[in-house]
Amino acid sequence: MGISLQKGQKISLEKEAGGGLTRIVMGLGWDAAKGKSGGMLGGLFGGGGGESIDLDASCLLFDEPGNLVDTVWFRQLRSQDRSIEHTGDNRTGEGEGDDEQIKVDLAAVPANVKSLVFTVNNFTGQDFSKVENAYCRIINGSNNSEIARYDLSCQGSHSAMIMAKLYRHGGEWKMHAIGEVGQGRTAEQLLPQIKPHL
C-alpha cells in the first residue's frame, strides 16, 4: 500500500518506490455518487437510475520556462515523443480499480520536459457533487506496486481538478499533490490555474 498524500505534500517517487524507478502509471478512479437520500441504500453501485459520470484524466507536459509542450488526453492518447500513453476513455466510472490510466516511461520523457501535470475534468460538465470515491494514484510500472495515493473526493461545484505534478529535481522525479479545484471541460481550460504551480 502506497503513501497516502495530503494536499500540498511533496515526495520523492524514487525513495518511496525503493529506487530504480523508470516507469509509472497514474491511475484515476471514481464512482457516480449515490442518490442524496442520506442512507446507505442503493447498494454498491447506486442501485440503478444513477447517472454515469465521465471524468477524463489528462497529462500536460511543460518545459522549464513553463511553456506547454504537449497534452495527452482522450483525443490524443500518446505524447508526440511516445513517452506517455493514455489507455483510453472511461465514460461511467463503473467497476473496480482504476477507471483511466496514463502510463509514463520516465526514462524516455524528453530532457526539455521539466513537469508533468495531471488533471481531471468532467467533459460532460457535471460537477463533483455527483462524484464519490475519487482518487489518483501512482503505481510503479515495473512491479505494479502502489507508490502513492491521493484522495480526490472533495465534493463541490467544481468540474475539474489539478491533481498532481511530477517534476524533475536534482536528477530525480518528485511528486507534488496539488488538489486544486477548478472549472473546465478540458485540461487546456485549466492552464491559467496550472501556471502558478509550475
Side-chain angles (χ1 to χ4, degrees), residues 99-121:
D99 294 305
E100 292 194 8
Q101 289 187 330
I102 297 177
K103 300 176 178 182
V104 181
D105 182 347
L106 294 172
V109 173
N112 70 312
V113 174
K114 173 160 194 264
S115 322
L116 309 174
V117 176
F118 293 95
T119 64
V120 58
N121 296 74

Side-chain angles (χ1 to χ4, degrees), residues 173-196:
W173 286 95
K174 296 189 178 276
M175 178 179 179
H176 176 200
I178 297 173
E180 185 174 312
V181 300
Q183 300 295 333
R185 295 174 64 229
T186 66
E188 306 252 331
Q189 291 174 314
L190 292 173
L191 281 174
Q193 263 186 276
I194 291 171
K195 291 285 187 187

Side-chain angles (χ1 to χ4, degrees), residues 96-160:
E96 293 298 309
D98 299 339
D99 294 305
E100 292 194 8
Q101 289 187 330
I102 297 177
K103 300 176 178 182
V104 181
D105 182 347
L106 294 172
V109 173
N112 70 312
V113 174
K114 173 160 194 264
S115 322
L116 309 174
V117 176
F118 293 95
T119 64
V120 58
N121 296 74
N122 190 320
F123 189 72
T124 48
Q126 297 145 310
D127 64 43
F128 270 62
S129 67
K130 309 267 196 290
V131 177
E132 62 185 27
N133 304 324
Y135 66 85
C136 73
R137 65 186 188 132
I138 299 291
I139 305 156
N140 185 332
S142 56
N143 63 13
N144 288 327
S145 64
E146 186 175 295
I147 300 169
R149 177 178 288 252
Y150 183 45
D151 179 9
L152 305 174
S153 285
C154 55
Q155 294 185 331
S157 59
H158 56 287
S159 62

